[in-house]
Amino acid sequence: MSFRPERRVEHEELVGGILESLRLRDLTIATAESLTAGMLSMLLTDVSGASSVVRGGLVVYATDLKSSLAGVSPELLAEGGAVQPEVAEQLARGARRHCAADWGVGLTGVAGPDWQDGVPPGTVHLGFAGPRGSVIRTERLSGDRGSIRCGAAFRALEHLEGLLR
């Protein structure tokens, strides 16, 4: 999965629906991204009108920044590394809190080609924190590094759309 021109309309429709859903409910969103390094924020703001609901995002690629900027527990990171479902959840909560948003989305995973902390490439954890609590989704994606990163961002959008229904 990549940002091919033929997919642009598809992602614009998906993002447009998410933004409209947030706008109609007077809700905002923020991201904390490791694996995708800002790609989800880029997709969310690629559609006109995004500024009315997108508060901002944190790119926390380095493990120490997950803790210092997004508020992920240093103990959690020390015990199991940066690629855990709970890290995605804490990233989402941190994005929500630090950006003063109603919704936070956190992404962590392994794009490859090498394993990280005993976790194989293609493992992606997505965290969503909203007004009624949080949800974690784990995905197993295949392909090269770029495909996994793009796939993670699109899966986050798809899950977010479902949560906003």
Side-chain angles (χ1 to χ4, degrees):
M1 187 175 294
S2 64
F3 295 111
R4 297 184 313 261
E6 62 270 18
R7 300 237 28 216
R8 185 165 184 85
V9 170
E10 179 185 337
H11 103 257
E12 285 180 353
E13 288 175 2
L14 178 60
V15 171
I18 289 167
L19 297 177
E20 184 64 14
S21 183
L22 290 166
R23 195 176 298 112
L24 289 172
R25 294 180 177 101
D26 197 28
L27 298 172
T28 57
I29 191 166
T31 64
E33 302 179 62
S34 178
L35 168 72
T36 49
M39 194 178 297
L40 179 59
S41 289
M42 187 270 303
L43 288 170
L44 285 169
T45 58
D46 201 30
V47 175
S48 180
S51 62
S52 66
V53 297
V54 177
R55 293 277 303 151
L58 307 167
V59 174
V60 289
Y61 208 67
T63 299
D64 64 307
L65 293 181
K66 290 170 183 60
S67 177
S68 64
L69 293 180
V72 175
S73 163
E75 294 79 19
L76 177 65
L77 294 167
E79 290 169 9
V83 185
Q84 305 179 63
E86 295 81 8
V87 170
E89 179 183 29
Q90 289 188 18
L91 287 171
R93 289 179 183 212
R96 184 173 186 235
R97 180 176 57 255
H98 293 291
C99 295
D102 299 297
W103 278 91
V105 181
L107 298 92
T108 188
V110 182
D114 300 321
W115 288 50
Q116 180 181 332
D117 298 327
V119 180
T123 302
V124 173
H125 302 295
L126 310 169
F128 304 88
R132 293 181 296 208
S134 58
V135 175
I136 304 167
R137 298 282 188 255
T138 297
E139 299 281 344
R140 305 276 186 241
L141 306 175
S142 61
D144 63 15
R145 188 172 168 76
S147 295
I148 291 169
R149 294 176 72 232
C150 290
F154 279 105
R155 291 287 170 86
L157 289 171
E158 291 167 348
H159 285 301
L160 180 60
E161 179 188 42
L163 291 169
L164 292 171
R165 279 193 211 140

